[in-house]
C-alpha cells in the first residue's frame, strides 16, 4: 500500500474547525489508501475519516526522522527555543479550536478540554524555557592529569505513543520534551482521538519545525506499526502512555535493541481520608479526582479509603455531590461528566458494575448506562466490604467510585500499598507532620496532600512498580531524551604555565 502527497492537506470539518486528516511525514501531508472513522462518543456519529497508516508509512516516517537527526541536534539552543516560542504563540492563538476538537472526539466537557489545553500549553512553554539550560559538568580527574567533562546528547529518533484520554496533554508533554532535547519524533496517535494530534503537528509545522523533525502516523493497526518500528535499530527511544499490559509488551520489544524506554502506565490510586481530614474538602476533591474525564484517567481515585471515624459523613457527602453531577454532551452548558470513549469501553463498565455486585458491594447511586445516543454511564458509587481480590489492584478506569473503610492510619497505608501499581496516591489530613509521614510511606511516584489534581509542568510526573519508568515534566523530563556523554581531556598542566 502506498501514500500520496496531499496539497493542500485533506481536512475534515469538526465542530466548525478544519482539521488535517492525513499522515504527516517528512514535512508533507500524505493520504493513505484507506481510512478509519473517528466517532463522537456523545452521539456515536462519525465526525471524520483519517488516513490509516501502514507499517511502510511508519518506516518512511522513521526514515525522515533519521535523516533529520543530525541537523536537528545541532540547532543552537537559542534558535531552537525561538522556534518553540513561535509554536507556543500559534498554539495559544488556536486554543478554542483545540478545545472544540478535543471535546468532539473524546467527549469530555468543553471546560475540561479548555483546562487540558491550558495545561498542555504550560508544559510546552516549560520545555521552551529549559532548552537553554541543559548543563553538563567539568571537574579534575581524581588523580589529576586530565579533565572530566560531562555533557549530554540527544538519544535519537523517538517513537511517541499517545493515549486517547488526554490527547492534547500527552502529545505536548512528550513531543515538547523530545524536541527540546534535539530528538526528531514519530508520533503514533490513538485511533479514537487522532484529530487533536493532527492539529498539534500542523501547528508545529506552521511554526517552522524542519522537515522530518515531527512526523505523525495514524493507524488502526497499532500493534503491527509499533512492532515494526521497535524492531528497527535506528529507533532509539520509546515513550508510551497507556495500559501496563501494552507497556510490558513494548518493553519486551525494546529489549533486543536496548531501546531507551519511558513508560507511564496504569494506576490504582488510593485516595485516603484520615480521621482528622476536612471532610468537605476531601469529598469535593474526590469528586474531581474520580469523575474528571468520566473516570478515564490513570491518576483517578481508584480506591477511596476512609477512616471509620469519618466514613459515614464522607460517604453521605460524596454521594450527594455525585448525584448533583450533570451527565451529557460536552458541548452543552453545565455538563460535568461526558460520555465513555466508546461502546466497547462502556460495555466494560457494565461488566465492572456486575463484578462489584457479585463481590457483595453496596450500590449507593448510579450503576446504569444512560439511554439515548452516545456512550453515557451514570456516575456510580459503591461501598465495598472487605478486600475483594477481584477488585483490589484493578484499575477501574470508569465513572465508578469504590469506598473502603479502615480503622487506623496504619491500616490505610498498608491497604494503599497492597497493589502492584504505584502511580498516584492522595492523603487528606489537617496535620502536616502526619501528611508527610504517610506520604513518605506510600509506595507511589506522586502523592497529593489535600488535593485531587497535581499535574504541573514543574513536577516530575510518573510512577513506580507496574506504573512505569521515567518522568514527564519537571527538570527530569528533557533528560529522559538525552544521554550523558563523558569526555576525558588530557591536560599538560606544566606546559600550560610556560
Amino acid at each position: 500500500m502506498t501514500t500520496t502527497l496531499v496539497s493542500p492537506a485533506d481536512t475534515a470539518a469538526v465542530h466548525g474547525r478544519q482539521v488535517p486528516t492525513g499522515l504527516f511525514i517528512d514535512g508533507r501531508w500524505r493520504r493513505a489508501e484507506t481510512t478509519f472513522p473517528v466517532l463522537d462518543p456523545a452521539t456515536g456519529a462519525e465526525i471524520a475519516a483519517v488516513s490509516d497508516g501502514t507499517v511502510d508509512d511508519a518506516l518512511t516516517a522513521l526514515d525522515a526522522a533519521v535523516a533529520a537527526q543530525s541537523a536537528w541536534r545541532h540547532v543552537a539552543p537559542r534558535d531552537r527555543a525561538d522556534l518553540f516560542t513561535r509554536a507556543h504563540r500559534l498554539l495559544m492563538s488556536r486554543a478554542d479550536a483545540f478545545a472544540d476538537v478535543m471535546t468532539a472526539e473524546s467527549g469530555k466537557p468543553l471546560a475540561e478540554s479548555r483546562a487540558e489545553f491550558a495545561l498542555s500549553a504550560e508544559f510546552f512553554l516549560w520545555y521552551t524555557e529549559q532548552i537553554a539550560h541543559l548543563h553538563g559538568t567539568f571537574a579534575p580527574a581524581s588523580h589529576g592529569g586530565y579533565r572530566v567533562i560531562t555533557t549530554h546528547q540527544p538519544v535519537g529518533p523517538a517513537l511517541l505513543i499517545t493515549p486517547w484520554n488526554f490527547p492534547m496533554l500527552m502529545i505536548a508533554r512528550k513531543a515538547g520534551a523530545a524536541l527540546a532535547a534535539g530528538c526528531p519524533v514519530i508520533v503514533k496517535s490513538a485511533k479514537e482521538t487522532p484529530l487533536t494530534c493532527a492539529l498539534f503537528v500542523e501547528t508545529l509545522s506552521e511554526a517552522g519545525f524542519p522537515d522530518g523533525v515531527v512526523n505523525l502516523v495514524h493507524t488502526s493497526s497499532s500493534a503491527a506499526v509499533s512492532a515494526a518500528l521497535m524492531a528497527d535499530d535506528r529507533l532509539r527511544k520509546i515513550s508510551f502512555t497507556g495500559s501496563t499490559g501494552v507497556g510490558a509488551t513494548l518493553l519486551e520489544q525494546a529489549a533486543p535493541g536496548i531501546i531507551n524506554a519511558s513508560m507511564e502506565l496504569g494506576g490504582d490510586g488510593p485516595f485516603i481520608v484520615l480521621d482528622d481530614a476536612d471532610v468537605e474538602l476531601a469529598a469535593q476533591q474526590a469528586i474531581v479526582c474520580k469523575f474528571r474525564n468520566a473516570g478515564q484517567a490513570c491518576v483517578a481515585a481508584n480506591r477511596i479509603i476512609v477512616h471509620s471515624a469519618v466514613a459515614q459523613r464522607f460517604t453521605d457527602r460524596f454521594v450527594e455531590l455525585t448525584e448533583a453531577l450533570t451527565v451529557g454532551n460536552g458541548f452543552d452548558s453545565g455538563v460535568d461528566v461526558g460520555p465513555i470513549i466508546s461502546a466497547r469501553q462502556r460495555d466494560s463498565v457494565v461488566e465492572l458494575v456486575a463484578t462489584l455486585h457479585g463481590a457483595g458491594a453496596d450500590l449507593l447511586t448510579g450503576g446504569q448506562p444512560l439511554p439515548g445516543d452516545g456512550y453515557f454511564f451514570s456516575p456510580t458509587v459503591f461501598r465495598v466490604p472487605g478486600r475483594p481480590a477481584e477488585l483490589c489492584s484493578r484499575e477501574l478506569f470508569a465513572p465508578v467510585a469504590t469506598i473502603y473503610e479502615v480503622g487506623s492510619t496504619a491500616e490505610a497505608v498498608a491497604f494503599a500499598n497492597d497493589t502492584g501499581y504505584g502511580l498516584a496516591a492522595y492523603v487528606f489530613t489537617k496535620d502536616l507532620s502526619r501528611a508527610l509521614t504517610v506520604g513518605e510511606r506510600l509506595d507511589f511516584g506522586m502523592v497529593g496532600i489535600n488535593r485531587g489534581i497535581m499535574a504541573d509542568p514543574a513536577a516530575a510526573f510518573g510512577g513506580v512498580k507496574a506504573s512505569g519508568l521515567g518522568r514527564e515534566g519537571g527538570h527530569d523530563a528533557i533528560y529522559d531524551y538525552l544521554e550523558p556523554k563523558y569526555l576525558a581531556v588530557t591536560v599538560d598542566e606544566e606546559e600550560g604555565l610556560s
Side-chain angles (χ1 to χ4, degrees):
M1 300 179 72
T2 60
T3 56
T4 55
L5 295 179
V6 182
S7 182
D10 284 351
T11 62
V14 179
H15 203 75
R17 311 291 185 176
Q18 293 299 317
V19 185
T21 56
L23 315 177
F24 190 75
I25 300 174
D26 201 17
R28 303 290 185 274
W29 290 101
R30 302 172 182 233
R31 181 190 302 136
E33 289 186 357
T34 61
T35 62
F36 63 86
V38 181
L39 306 182
D40 177 356
T43 64
E46 181 176 325
I47 56 174
V50 301
S51 283
D52 194 355
T54 65
V55 166
D56 286 344
D57 294 324
L59 293 175
T60 301
L62 180 57
D63 291 342
V66 170
Q69 172 67 74
S70 180
W72 181 240
R73 67 176 292 186
H74 289 109
V75 172
R78 179 55 58 202
D79 292 339
R80 192 179 301 146
D82 288 344
L83 189 59
F84 265 65
T85 299
R86 288 199 298 274
H88 180 260
R89 288 173 180 163
L90 275 176
L91 287 171
M92 295 304 296
S93 72
R94 299 170 181 181
D96 289 343
F98 274 99
D100 285 348
V101 171
M102 266 191 282
T103 291
E105 67 177 350
S106 75
K108 64 183 63 182
L110 193 56
E112 287 190 14
S113 293
R114 288 169 176 159
E116 180 177 339
F117 174 83
L119 180 60
S120 304
E122 283 293 314
F123 268 98
F124 198 80
L125 181 60
W126 170 267
Y127 297 131
T128 302
E129 296 165 338
Q130 297 299 305
I131 291 172
H133 301 283
L134 301 175
H135 305 301
T137 61
F138 176 92
S142 56
H143 295 289
Y146 63 96
R147 298 294 181 266
V148 174
I149 300 175
T150 303
T151 184
H152 297 86
Q153 64 183 30
V155 65
L159 170 61
L160 313 179
I161 302 179
T162 62
W164 50 260
N165 55 342
F166 292 98
M168 178 61 180
L169 180 58
M170 294 300 101
I171 189 174
R173 205 158 70 180
K174 292 179 187 297
L179 295 169
C183 296
V185 301
I186 305 102
V187 178
K188 193 201 76 62
S189 65
K191 65 180 182 296
E192 296 86 354
T193 56
L195 302 175
T196 303
C197 282
L199 275 184
F200 181 81
V201 168
E202 180 185 50
T203 302
L204 296 192
S205 174
E206 291 182 13
F209 277 74
D211 294 353
V213 170
V214 184
N215 304 278
L216 173 65
V217 177
H218 310 303
T219 183
S220 63
S221 304
S222 296
V225 163
S226 297
L229 289 171
M230 296 292 283
D232 193 310
D233 61 10
R234 297 175 300 166
L235 185 75
R236 299 311 311 145
K237 173 74 180 183
I238 168 72
S239 178
F240 169 74
T241 296
S243 72
T244 296
V246 174
T249 297
L250 290 169
L251 286 172
E252 289 178 1
Q253 294 172 350
I258 320 297
I259 296 173
N260 185 312
S262 295
M263 298 279 146
E264 200 258 282
L265 307 176
D268 181 18
F271 189 99
I272 301 172
V273 183
L274 297 178
D275 56 336
D276 68 337
D278 180 330
V279 172
E280 179 63 24
L281 173 65
Q284 290 179 358
Q285 289 293 300
I287 289 291
V288 175
C289 192
K290 175 70 261 183
F291 295 114
R292 180 174 62 125
N293 202 30
Q296 301 168 121
C298 54
V299 294
N302 208 57
R303 290 171 293 153
I304 302 177
I305 302 168
V306 189
H307 194 285
S308 57
V310 295
Q312 194 59 54
R313 280 199 296 138
F314 173 86
T315 300
D316 289 346
R317 183 58 175 148
F318 183 73
V319 169
E320 180 182 18
L321 291 171
T322 299
E323 291 177 340
L325 294 172
T326 299
V327 180
N329 189 309
F331 286 109
D332 294 341
S333 62
V335 167
D336 302 301
V337 180
I340 304 297
I341 189 65
S342 66
R344 178 182 177 184
Q345 189 73 12
R346 187 181 61 179
D347 289 344
S348 74
V349 179
V350 173
E351 293 172 3
L352 169 64
V353 168
T355 300
L356 280 156
H357 280 302
D362 182 16
L363 177 63
L364 304 181
T365 190
Q368 297 291 332
L370 299 179
D373 296 331
Y375 315 125
F376 296 97
F377 201 94
S378 57
T380 299
V381 182
F382 279 92
R383 182 190 287 113
V384 184
R387 309 287 184 264
E390 63 269 38
L391 296 175
C392 299
S393 280
R394 172 177 175 172
E395 185 175 29
L396 303 182
F397 222 70
V400 177
T402 53
I403 300 176
Y404 299 81
E405 189 172 321
V406 293
S408 68
T409 301
E411 185 184 353
V413 172
F415 181 36
N417 286 335
D418 188 16
T419 175
Y421 294 106
L423 187 56
Y426 308 88
V427 180
F428 283 75
T429 173
K430 294 177 182 177
D431 187 326
L432 177 59
S433 176
R434 196 180 198 191
L436 292 174
T437 299
V438 172
E440 289 173 354
R441 283 166 170 74
L442 290 170
D443 297 332
F444 292 80
M446 303 177 288
V447 180
I449 306 296
N450 293 326
R451 61 182 299 114
I453 293 181
M454 51 182 157
D456 188 276
F461 189 101
V464 298
K465 299 188 287 187
S467 288
L469 303 167
R471 295 295 183 268
E472 295 185 339
H475 296 289
D476 303 314
I478 295 178
Y479 288 96
D480 267 6
Y481 293 88
L482 294 168
E483 295 282 13
K485 186 164 191 175
Y486 159 46
L487 305 176
V489 182
T490 298
V491 175
D492 187 335
E493 296 177 346
E494 296 299 323
E495 181 179 338
L497 295 175
S498 61

